[in-house]
Amino acid sequence: QQMQRDAADAAAAIRELKALMEEQRQTMTAQARQREEDLLRSAVDAEEAARTAHRSEMDTLRADAAAAAASLTAQLDETEDALSELTRRFEARESRPEDLQHIAALNNAVRQRDAAIAKVLEESHYYKLELQNREENYNQLFSKQPRVGLINPLATRKQGLTQPQAATRPESAAAALPTAAHSASHGV
């Protein structure tokens, strides 16, 4: 009987322990579930907070980028305006005094050369007329009629002449001219 009592006490203790274990298991399971739900809730809350922070950060970055773009656009407009103003001033600038002096010197040199060319042309025309006048006076004085252009270099081949005519030879024309000594002795 004692054994039976001990066995019954042991069985009761085992049942108590089993019940206690079952209770602790249920408590731990409930705690684990609660902890899992808390962790899940905190993860969802953290994710939502992160998304909210991300959206806020993205909105801030977009606003900053738009402001920077507007600032750069305004700066670009100012730079383009400054460039166009500098270009206008550069194109409308006054000449430097040394450039004006150089241009005046070049214009003066051109005028002097034009005057020199005109003078040379005038002198050339004068000497041509003088030479023509002297030749006409010489021809009138000595009754000479020059025959210009009568020499035909091909005449010997076509006509079969062996010698050119005496009137067309340059030596005979030179012999017809009076010498300076002859002109001086006759008072010409």
Side-chain angles (χ1 to χ4, degrees):
Q1 267 205 6
Q2 183 71 11
M3 276 200 77
Q4 283 182 351
R5 268 196 229 163
D6 285 343
D9 284 342
I14 288 176
R15 278 192 303 267
E16 265 182 46
L17 281 175
K18 277 186 181 179
L20 184 63
M21 267 177 68
E22 182 62 26
E23 188 181 316
Q24 283 182 352
R25 186 184 64 81
Q26 286 176 356
T27 304
M28 288 181 89
T29 303
Q31 284 178 351
R33 277 191 207 134
Q34 184 64 36
R35 180 163 180 164
E36 184 181 347
E37 287 174 5
D38 290 344
L39 286 173
L40 185 59
R41 222 176 291 121
S42 69
V44 168
D45 290 345
E47 182 182 357
E48 187 61 35
R51 284 185 183 172
T52 303
H54 176 71
R55 282 189 206 112
S56 173
E57 185 69 24
M58 287 299 292
D59 291 342
T60 303
L61 288 175
R62 283 189 188 114
D64 290 348
S71 172
L72 288 175
T73 303
Q75 188 178 11
L76 178 64
D77 290 342
E78 289 174 8
T79 305
E80 286 176 348
D81 290 345
L83 176 63
S84 64
E85 175 65 20
L86 285 175
T87 303
R88 184 192 62 76
R89 285 180 49 204
F90 179 75
E91 289 173 355
R93 72 188 181 282
E94 293 183 15
S95 299
R96 298 183 308 174
E98 52 269 15
D99 290 342
L100 293 174
Q101 290 173 353
H102 187 66
I103 290 170
L106 290 175
N107 285 337
N108 190 23
V110 167
R111 278 194 297 276
Q112 288 176 354
R113 286 186 184 143
D114 287 345
I117 289 171
K119 182 179 177 184
V120 166
L121 289 175
E122 185 179 321
E123 287 178 359
S124 172
H125 182 67
Y126 170 78
Y127 287 124
K128 283 180 185 177
L129 291 176
E130 182 67 25
L131 184 61
Q132 183 180 3
N133 187 27
R134 287 184 184 186
E135 187 170 341
E136 286 175 3
N137 287 339
Y138 175 80
N139 288 337
Q140 284 178 359
L141 185 63
F142 295 106
S143 299
K144 295 290 182 183
Q145 295 298 325
R147 294 187 228 171
V148 178
L150 291 180
I151 298 176
N152 188 357
L154 300 176
T156 57
R157 291 184 192 155
K158 287 186 178 178
Q159 296 173 358
L161 297 174
T162 57
Q163 276 189 333
Q165 296 174 354
T168 61
R169 287 186 151 180
E171 297 90 30
S172 64
L177 293 176
T179 60
H182 183 266
S183 299
S185 64
H186 288 88
V188 179

